[in-house]
Amino acid sequence: MNEPNDTLLSVERLKKHFPIKKGLMRRITGYVRAVDDVSFRIRKGETLGLVGESGCGKSTIGKLVLRAMKPTAGRIMFHLDGREVPVHELSDAELRPFRKHAQLIFQDPYASLNPRMTVREIIGEPILVNRDHDSEDMDQRVAELMELVGLDSRYLKRYPHAFSGGQRQRIGVARALALNPDLIIADEPVSALDVSIQAQILNLLHDIQQDLNLTYLFISHDLSVVEYISDRVAVMYVGKLVEVADNEDIFRRPKHPYTEALLVAVPRISGERKAHAYTLSGNVADPANPPSGCYFHPRCRYAKDVCQTKSVSLEEISPGHQVACHLASELELKGL
Ligand code: SF4
């Protein structure tokens, strides 16, 4: 497939199915479809927000793109300087050079930093492992990275416990930047932080994106955060994408009932209750045994008979706006 030349990452029909094993013989009795036929692309320099309820498969997509796990099927193509890197089929030896280009910012800045390592060692470790700098100029590189993320480089030899939660997440960001990556996967990077600190980290991520022309896959369950930072948004439900569109379209003109339901739950600063407020009923479907037809139909307030029997797939209903819903063209849904 020919990609537009501003594409950094393209994911095609990606699947990750985990076998369910039971009994003494550990026979496979079924599969958890954590990621099921997902396709999207990310342009260079943009932020794609990936949202959905807990357990919908969004973090698994992040792990697959980084090749922290192998996909069951599908293609993950990285477009670098006119070359195409087929991430889904890289060997272990080929993965090391690829990982310089794609890095992860973890959710929990308390658990993700080794308490026995100094900040110098934490930020410098990827540089040493990849032998990107010799040890003499590593101190200088680590100091530069600390300044870049708003940390005082005099604290190079301190341990993580000497820093606040926000500062620890800055250390995590500096470590992710150590190898000059093209893509950063930020998996719930502010959800463990106080609300007052969240905005600081989001602003930092925004500023370094501008300075370094970074591309983000930003994974979060929090739509307020995704609204703030994303250029485009992909909404995920039970292993599948159900809506992909520009930020403005997703938040003001949603076309999928699940997106509308998520938006209804977003708190507004004014505290006012929305006139059309309602509660999303029922539980997220079981990815090992999803419902027939549209997976969302047992919870959908607009469902018709066809929704129970006919499966849905993402279709473009207007330029850049994709929706997986039988009624997308006729429903009048409410945005923020
Ligand atoms: Fe609701 Fe039917 Fe659309 Fe599924 S296909 S989201 S059940 S209206």
PDB file of all heavy atoms in Angstrom, residues 256-257 294 296-297 300 302-303 307 312 325-327 331, ligand 1:
ATOM      1  N   HIS A 256     -20.208   8.205  16.636  1.00  0.00           N
ATOM      2  CA  HIS A 256     -20.436   6.861  17.175  1.00  0.00           C
ATOM      3  C   HIS A 256     -21.073   6.981  18.564  1.00  0.00           C
ATOM      4  O   HIS A 256     -20.597   7.770  19.394  1.00  0.00           O
ATOM      5  CB  HIS A 256     -19.114   6.092  17.272  1.00  0.00           C
ATOM      6  CG  HIS A 256     -19.325   4.620  17.470  1.00  0.00           C
ATOM      7  ND1 HIS A 256     -19.693   4.090  18.682  1.00  0.00           N
ATOM      8  CD2 HIS A 256     -19.268   3.580  16.603  1.00  0.00           C
ATOM      9  CE1 HIS A 256     -19.828   2.774  18.566  1.00  0.00           C
ATOM     10  NE2 HIS A 256     -19.583   2.444  17.307  1.00  0.00           N
ATOM     11  N   PRO A 257     -22.129   6.213  18.833  1.00  0.00           N
ATOM     12  CA  PRO A 257     -22.785   6.296  20.145  1.00  0.00           C
ATOM     13  C   PRO A 257     -21.837   6.056  21.327  1.00  0.00           C
ATOM     14  O   PRO A 257     -22.047   6.620  22.413  1.00  0.00           O
ATOM     15  CB  PRO A 257     -23.861   5.211  20.069  1.00  0.00           C
ATOM     16  CG  PRO A 257     -24.200   5.149  18.621  1.00  0.00           C
ATOM     17  CD  PRO A 257     -22.884   5.352  17.907  1.00  0.00           C
ATOM     18  N   CYS A 294     -22.692  -5.706  16.139  1.00  0.00           N
ATOM     19  CA  CYS A 294     -21.883  -4.619  16.698  1.00  0.00           C
ATOM     20  C   CYS A 294     -21.624  -4.923  18.176  1.00  0.00           C
ATOM     21  O   CYS A 294     -22.568  -5.120  18.946  1.00  0.00           O
ATOM     22  CB  CYS A 294     -22.637  -3.298  16.553  1.00  0.00           C
ATOM     23  SG  CYS A 294     -21.905  -1.973  17.513  1.00  0.00           S
ATOM     24  N   PHE A 296     -21.006  -3.185  20.544  1.00  0.00           N
ATOM     25  CA  PHE A 296     -21.531  -2.191  21.492  1.00  0.00           C
ATOM     26  C   PHE A 296     -23.049  -2.318  21.672  1.00  0.00           C
ATOM     27  O   PHE A 296     -23.620  -1.650  22.528  1.00  0.00           O
ATOM     28  CB  PHE A 296     -21.150  -0.780  20.988  1.00  0.00           C
ATOM     29  CG  PHE A 296     -21.445   0.325  21.957  1.00  0.00           C
ATOM     30  CD1 PHE A 296     -20.929   0.315  23.250  1.00  0.00           C
ATOM     31  CD2 PHE A 296     -22.246   1.395  21.592  1.00  0.00           C
ATOM     32  CE1 PHE A 296     -21.202   1.333  24.155  1.00  0.00           C
ATOM     33  CE2 PHE A 296     -22.533   2.426  22.482  1.00  0.00           C
ATOM     34  CZ  PHE A 296     -22.006   2.394  23.763  1.00  0.00           C
ATOM     35  N   HIS A 297     -23.713  -3.194  20.909  1.00  0.00           N
ATOM     36  CA  HIS A 297     -25.179  -3.148  20.885  1.00  0.00           C
ATOM     37  C   HIS A 297     -25.848  -3.381  22.252  1.00  0.00           C
ATOM     38  O   HIS A 297     -26.875  -2.753  22.530  1.00  0.00           O
ATOM     39  CB  HIS A 297     -25.760  -4.064  19.780  1.00  0.00           C
ATOM     40  CG  HIS A 297     -25.964  -5.497  20.161  1.00  0.00           C
ATOM     41  ND1 HIS A 297     -25.146  -6.515  19.710  1.00  0.00           N
ATOM     42  CD2 HIS A 297     -26.898  -6.098  20.966  1.00  0.00           C
ATOM     43  CE1 HIS A 297     -25.583  -7.660  20.198  1.00  0.00           C
ATOM     44  NE2 HIS A 297     -26.624  -7.438  20.962  1.00  0.00           N
ATOM     45  N   CYS A 300     -25.940   0.080  23.760  1.00  0.00           N
ATOM     46  CA  CYS A 300     -26.202   1.231  22.904  1.00  0.00           C
ATOM     47  C   CYS A 300     -27.670   1.665  22.989  1.00  0.00           C
ATOM     48  O   CYS A 300     -28.578   0.860  22.759  1.00  0.00           O
ATOM     49  CB  CYS A 300     -25.839   0.892  21.456  1.00  0.00           C
ATOM     50  SG  CYS A 300     -26.099   2.264  20.329  1.00  0.00           S
ATOM     51  N   TYR A 302     -29.190   3.498  20.971  1.00  0.00           N
ATOM     52  CA  TYR A 302     -29.771   3.684  19.637  1.00  0.00           C
ATOM     53  C   TYR A 302     -29.908   2.357  18.869  1.00  0.00           C
ATOM     54  O   TYR A 302     -30.310   2.359  17.710  1.00  0.00           O
ATOM     55  CB  TYR A 302     -28.897   4.623  18.804  1.00  0.00           C
ATOM     56  CG  TYR A 302     -28.613   5.945  19.479  1.00  0.00           C
ATOM     57  CD1 TYR A 302     -27.378   6.189  20.063  1.00  0.00           C
ATOM     58  CD2 TYR A 302     -29.585   6.942  19.521  1.00  0.00           C
ATOM     59  CE1 TYR A 302     -27.111   7.403  20.689  1.00  0.00           C
ATOM     60  CE2 TYR A 302     -29.326   8.150  20.143  1.00  0.00           C
ATOM     61  CZ  TYR A 302     -28.088   8.377  20.729  1.00  0.00           C
ATOM     62  OH  TYR A 302     -27.832   9.575  21.346  1.00  0.00           O
ATOM     63  N   ALA A 303     -29.538   1.233  19.501  1.00  0.00           N
ATOM     64  CA  ALA A 303     -29.448  -0.041  18.763  1.00  0.00           C
ATOM     65  C   ALA A 303     -30.765  -0.442  18.105  1.00  0.00           C
ATOM     66  O   ALA A 303     -31.852  -0.259  18.671  1.00  0.00           O
ATOM     67  CB  ALA A 303     -28.984  -1.138  19.720  1.00  0.00           C
ATOM     68  N   CYS A 307     -28.287  -4.215  14.373  1.00  0.00           N
ATOM     69  CA  CYS A 307     -27.051  -4.088  15.165  1.00  0.00           C
ATOM     70  C   CYS A 307     -26.691  -5.402  15.866  1.00  0.00           C
ATOM     71  O   CYS A 307     -25.537  -5.637  16.207  1.00  0.00           O
ATOM     72  CB  CYS A 307     -27.206  -2.990  16.204  1.00  0.00           C
ATOM     73  SG  CYS A 307     -27.683  -1.403  15.494  1.00  0.00           S
ATOM     74  N   VAL A 312     -19.913  -4.649  12.134  1.00  0.00           N
ATOM     75  CA  VAL A 312     -19.602  -3.314  11.608  1.00  0.00           C
ATOM     76  C   VAL A 312     -18.106  -3.208  11.345  1.00  0.00           C
ATOM     77  O   VAL A 312     -17.300  -3.907  11.959  1.00  0.00           O
ATOM     78  CB  VAL A 312     -19.999  -2.202  12.614  1.00  0.00           C
ATOM     79  CG1 VAL A 312     -21.460  -1.926  12.586  1.00  0.00           C
ATOM     80  CG2 VAL A 312     -19.526  -2.539  14.017  1.00  0.00           C
ATOM     81  N   CYS A 325     -20.382   2.148  12.608  1.00  0.00           N
ATOM     82  CA  CYS A 325     -21.752   2.124  13.141  1.00  0.00           C
ATOM     83  C   CYS A 325     -22.720   2.082  11.971  1.00  0.00           C
ATOM     84  O   CYS A 325     -22.586   2.867  11.035  1.00  0.00           O
ATOM     85  CB  CYS A 325     -22.003   3.372  13.999  1.00  0.00           C
ATOM     86  SG  CYS A 325     -23.723   3.572  14.505  1.00  0.00           S
ATOM     87  N   HIS A 326     -23.722   1.169  12.057  1.00  0.00           N
ATOM     88  CA  HIS A 326     -24.700   1.060  10.970  1.00  0.00           C
ATOM     89  C   HIS A 326     -25.510   2.347  10.790  1.00  0.00           C
ATOM     90  O   HIS A 326     -26.023   2.612   9.716  1.00  0.00           O
ATOM     91  CB  HIS A 326     -25.680  -0.084  11.266  1.00  0.00           C
ATOM     92  CG  HIS A 326     -25.029  -1.439  11.258  1.00  0.00           C
ATOM     93  ND1 HIS A 326     -24.247  -1.872  10.222  1.00  0.00           N
ATOM     94  CD2 HIS A 326     -25.032  -2.444  12.176  1.00  0.00           C
ATOM     95  CE1 HIS A 326     -23.809  -3.089  10.482  1.00  0.00           C
ATOM     96  NE2 HIS A 326     -24.263  -3.456  11.668  1.00  0.00           N
ATOM     97  N   LEU A 327     -25.644   3.114  11.881  1.00  0.00           N
ATOM     98  CA  LEU A 327     -26.539   4.283  11.828  1.00  0.00           C
ATOM     99  C   LEU A 327     -25.776   5.605  11.806  1.00  0.00           C
ATOM    100  O   LEU A 327     -26.349   6.672  12.080  1.00  0.00           O
ATOM    101  CB  LEU A 327     -27.476   4.262  13.042  1.00  0.00           C
ATOM    102  CG  LEU A 327     -28.232   2.945  13.301  1.00  0.00           C
ATOM    103  CD1 LEU A 327     -29.141   3.090  14.508  1.00  0.00           C
ATOM    104  CD2 LEU A 327     -29.036   2.528  12.085  1.00  0.00           C
ATOM    105  N   LEU A 331     -27.775   9.268  12.759  1.00  0.00           N
ATOM    106  CA  LEU A 331     -27.888   9.691  14.161  1.00  0.00           C
ATOM    107  C   LEU A 331     -27.405  11.138  14.321  1.00  0.00           C
ATOM    108  O   LEU A 331     -26.441  11.553  13.695  1.00  0.00           O
ATOM    109  CB  LEU A 331     -27.039   8.781  15.063  1.00  0.00           C
ATOM    110  CG  LEU A 331     -27.511   7.344  15.211  1.00  0.00           C
ATOM    111  CD1 LEU A 331     -26.489   6.543  16.032  1.00  0.00           C
ATOM    112  CD2 LEU A 331     -28.868   7.281  15.862  1.00  0.00           C
TER     113      LEU A 331
HETATM  114 FE1  SF4 B   1     -25.250   1.389  18.342  1.00  0.00          FE
HETATM  115 FE2  SF4 B   1     -26.026  -0.061  16.246  1.00  0.00          FE
HETATM  116 FE3  SF4 B   1     -24.250   1.870  15.918  1.00  0.00          FE
HETATM  117 FE4  SF4 B   1     -23.579  -0.349  17.211  1.00  0.00          FE
HETATM  118  S1  SF4 B   1     -24.141  -0.193  15.055  1.00  0.00           S
HETATM  119  S2  SF4 B   1     -23.099   1.724  17.818  1.00  0.00           S
HETATM  120  S3  SF4 B   1     -25.457  -0.817  18.287  1.00  0.00           S
HETATM  121  S4  SF4 B   1     -26.396   2.127  16.565  1.00  0.00           S
END
